[in-house]
Amino acid sequence: MRELPSLPSRQAVLLGWAAPIPVLVEVDELPDAQRPQSADPDFWKVWTLTEERGVDWGAISEEWSGAPPVHDPEE
């Protein structure tokens, strides 16, 4: 577990019902046309609580569920 934060990009540990034991896997690199157009976020600062990341989880869950947006009458 201590080594998980130091895994190189495109590597992960596969575990669960699909793998009888934890397995180190490497994910194929995406072609340029399918890659995100942004850099990797700085997760370490958020994980160590040196930086806060504001996330509107309500808006995200509404968007994913397909629910219509809730209008705030105070806006």
Side-chain angles (χ1 to χ4, degrees), residues 1-52:
M1 293 300 289
R2 288 184 307 232
E3 295 180 25
L4 286 178
S6 65
L7 283 177
S9 293
R10 300 180 22 235
Q11 289 193 358
V13 177
L14 174 68
L15 58 127
W17 64 267
I21 61 171
V23 179
L24 182 64
V25 296
E26 186 169 336
V27 179
D28 290 339
E29 192 163 337
L30 286 172
D32 288 338
Q34 294 179 345
R35 290 187 193 169
Q37 300 300 311
S38 61
D40 287 342
D42 191 356
F43 289 113
W44 185 252
K45 289 181 181 176
V46 175
W47 288 342
T48 58
L49 302 176
T50 57
E51 183 178 292
E52 186 175 326

